[in-house]
């Protein structure tokens, strides 16, 4: 039972780290353009994760097939997903984007069923996925859905990013033979190889003069919200399974509300309170015993 509590605690921490990333992006992006900010995020995370590997006495894989898998996982989890989201969020309100971006558990259910990756999911997990999404809509307000159907291509891009997150959660099981730190480092190395040259070509970052605050925000985004978060993510892919780890998407919107209450003096409305409760219940249903897609090779508590 202790192991279950640890995994669920890590799931909450992952939601906190990824949910707070929007705050740090907002603090940095006014002075650091988006492609450069993402490049700083992934390259800093890669350096951090390589240090973690050294301290743990771990090595990067030598098998070309592992590097091919890591490249595809990097496209799913960072390169492709982040580029789609960054492009789409230029044209879509942040509230609607947060709802669309929270649909990755739904895509885990749909894609997993279409590809017959496991037995049919339990009804409680389907209910949990639907309830969690409804909770997110309540948290951000159903008014956010008013723009649904406008800027269709941008909205489809954000949904595409969420679908790639779902693919990453499912495909991550292919890396279950690697320690989570190795998977995280390999994914960030590929992202760095792809995004740093794009930043140099498109945005000429050597001409920038960001403030200390912007650089600090970018630094925490890189180390905390990416490096540490990915260590947790790949552990949870092995222990809670794809749908379980994807369920943190429903908690991220709640993280934003709580951070606003704690640091900005905002208040939580009754609608948001109901939404928070619905999101939590949805996550509990998804992660109840007999998790769908849980890897048989890695029991709870393994790394």
């Amino acid at each position: 039972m202790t192991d279950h509590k640890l995994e669920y605690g890590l799931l909450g921490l992952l939601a906190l780290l990824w949910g707070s990333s929007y705050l740090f992006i907002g603090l940095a992006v006014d002075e650091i353009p988006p492609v450069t900010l993402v490049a700083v995020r992934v390259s800093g995370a890669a350096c951090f994760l390589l240090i973690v590997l050294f301290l743990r006495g771990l090595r990067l894989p030598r098998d070309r097939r592992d590097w091919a898998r890591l490249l595809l996982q990097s496209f799913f989890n960072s390169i492709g997903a982040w580029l789609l989201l960054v492009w789409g969020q230029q044209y879509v309100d942040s509230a609607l984007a947060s709802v669309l971006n929270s649909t990755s558990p739904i895509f885990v259910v749909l894609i997993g069923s279409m590809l017959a990756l496991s037995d049919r999911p339990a009804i409680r997990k389907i209910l949990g996925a639907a309830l969690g999404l409804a909770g997110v809509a309540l948290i951000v307000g159903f008014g956010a859905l008013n723009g649904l159907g406008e800027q269709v291509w941008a909205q489809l891009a954000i949904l595409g990013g969420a679908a790639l997150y779902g693919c990453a959660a499912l495909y991550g099981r292919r890396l279950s033979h690697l320690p989570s730190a190795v998977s995280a480092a390999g994914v960030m190395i590929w992202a760095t190889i792809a995004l740093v040259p794009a930043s140099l070509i498109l945005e000429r970052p050597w001409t920038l003069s960001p403030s200390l605050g912007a650089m600090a925000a970018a630094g925490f985004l890189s180390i905390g919200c990416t490096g540490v978060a990915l260590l947790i993510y790949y552990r949870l892919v092995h222990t809670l399974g794809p749908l379980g780890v994807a369920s943190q998407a429903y908690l991220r919107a709640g993280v934003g509300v709580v951070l606003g209450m704690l640091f900005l003096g905002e208040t939580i409305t009754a609608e948001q309170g109901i939404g928070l409760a619905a999101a939590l219940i949805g996550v509990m249903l998804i992660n109840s015993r007999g998790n769908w897609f849980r890897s048989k090779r890695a029991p709870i508590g393994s790394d």
Side-chain angles (χ1 to χ4, degrees), residues 31 41 60 62 76 85 94 133 169 191 201 210 226 241 247 265 277 285 288 297:
E31 301 179 44
R41 180 178 184 176
L60 291 170
R62 298 180 179 179
F76 288 150
L85 290 170
S94 59
L133 186 59
I201 294 169
T226 308
S247 68
L285 288 172
S288 57
R297 289 179 288 183

Side-chain angles (χ1 to χ4, degrees), residues 35-48:
V35 178
T36 297
L37 181 58
V38 175
V40 169
R41 180 178 184 176
V42 298
S43 58
C47 292
F48 167 77

Side-chain angles (χ1 to χ4, degrees), residues 268-282:
I268 296 179
T269 66
E271 186 179 74
Q272 288 174 325
I274 295 171
L276 285 169
L280 286 171
I281 293 171

Side-chain angles (χ1 to χ4, degrees), residues 239-261:
T239 57
L240 294 183
L243 187 55
V245 73
S247 68
Q248 53 76 31
Y250 295 148
L251 300 176
R252 291 201 302 262
V255 167
V257 171
V258 173
L259 288 176
M261 181 183 67

